[in-house]
Amino acid sequence: MKLSIGDVAKICHETNKAYCECIGDYSQKSWQDAEPWQRDSAWKGVEFKVNNPNASNSAQHDSWLDEKRKTGWKYGPVKNPELKEHPCFVPYKDLPEEQKAKDALFGNIVLALKHLIK
């Protein structure tokens, strides 16, 4: 069986959604209902980890921050796609532990599945 980058991005996204719900955040939409920018972000995150399998969680976060910065996002106390604000738009060391765990989940899913990517 082979998976595409998009398949792995979907798995990461849906896992992220489930994790967020477990910590009381019900703002995440399912993959099929997610905005294109959100699916694109997951896709780029998978590509980064596939191309940099030894990258730390903080490096993964820095890559996410860089992509967000390039597309006009900035820090905001609540995620607001219309204003392009996100509470995780901070250095990795300043993330709450539950957000660091989310980064670890994402990266570990990619590493577990990368040998299946065609």
Side-chain angles (χ1 to χ4, degrees):
M1 175 176 72
K2 292 294 183 181
L3 299 173
S4 69
I5 293 280
D7 293 330
V8 177
K10 177 182 178 180
I11 292 165
C12 289
H13 176 87
E14 292 294 348
T15 301
N16 177 60
K17 178 184 181 299
Y19 174 75
C20 286
E21 289 173 0
C22 287
I23 60 171
D25 175 1
Y26 295 92
S27 68
Q28 303 295 327
K29 295 179 181 176
S30 67
W31 180 258
Q32 67 189 23
D33 296 328
E35 300 295 330
W37 62 265
Q38 205 167 27
R39 290 191 304 267
D40 187 52
S41 181
W43 188 293
K44 287 180 178 166
V46 172
E47 287 181 325
F48 175 83
K49 193 64 173 181
V50 165
N51 293 327
N52 302 279
N54 296 319
S56 65
N57 293 336
S58 65
Q60 179 88 32
H61 181 73
D62 289 345
S63 174
W64 176 86
L65 270 178
D66 187 50
E67 183 59 36
K68 289 289 184 218
R69 191 175 292 111
K70 287 177 183 173
T71 56
W73 286 72
K74 60 189 178 293
Y75 173 80
V78 184
K79 184 164 73 172
N80 184 327
E82 291 78 31
L83 297 176
K84 291 191 170 186
E85 293 180 345
H86 202 294
C88 293
F89 198 88
V90 297
Y92 183 79
K93 68 178 180 61
D94 296 334
L95 284 175
E97 289 303 314
E98 65 270 6
Q99 296 302 318
K100 289 179 181 179
K102 193 166 69 170
D103 287 344
L105 275 171
F106 188 101
N108 285 319
I109 290 168
V110 176
L111 291 177
L113 298 176
K114 77 181 197 91
H115 70 283
L116 297 175
I117 297 173
K118 54 182 164 181

